[in-house]
Amino acid sequence: MTLKIISAEDIVFEGEVTSVTLPGSMGAFTVLKNHASLVSTLVAGKINYSDGNSDSVHSIEIEGGLVDVDNNVISVCIY
């Protein structure tokens, strides 16, 4: 899967991941390979993701944003 995290100022992260956990407005949710398409708002919290090269989990603190999941591409716009 490809994760793209974009802010108004910069591309925060773009790369291959095995899982992503996002702070949705209705609660945290995890996206895995072949997840159904969705669009959701995000609230303040952490985006946690595991890259394909290691078992370590990386975190990015956000204030909120939007996410679009489609065809194994997770596009996140944060603020």
Side-chain angles (χ1 to χ4, degrees):
M1 290 185 307
T2 302
L3 172 63
K4 299 176 185 178
I5 303 174
I6 303 163
S7 72
E9 297 85 29
D10 199 9
I11 297 173
V12 178
F13 176 82
E14 184 171 1
E16 292 298 310
V17 297
T18 55
S19 69
V20 181
T21 300
L22 301 146
S25 56
M26 300 291 287
F29 62 96
T30 300
V31 176
L32 300 172
K33 187 175 182 181
N34 297 323
H35 195 285
S37 296
L38 68 85
V39 175
S40 178
T41 56
L42 302 175
V43 297
K46 290 184 179 180
I47 297 174
N48 297 313
Y49 62 92
S50 300
D51 61 30
N53 298 327
S54 66
D55 291 331
S56 62
V57 175
H58 307 277
S59 292
I60 296 174
E61 191 80 28
I62 65 167
E63 295 298 318
L66 299 168
V67 61
D68 175 66
V69 178
D70 192 38
N71 292 323
N72 289 318
V73 177
I74 303 133
S75 301
V76 182
C77 296
I78 61 171
Y79 49 87

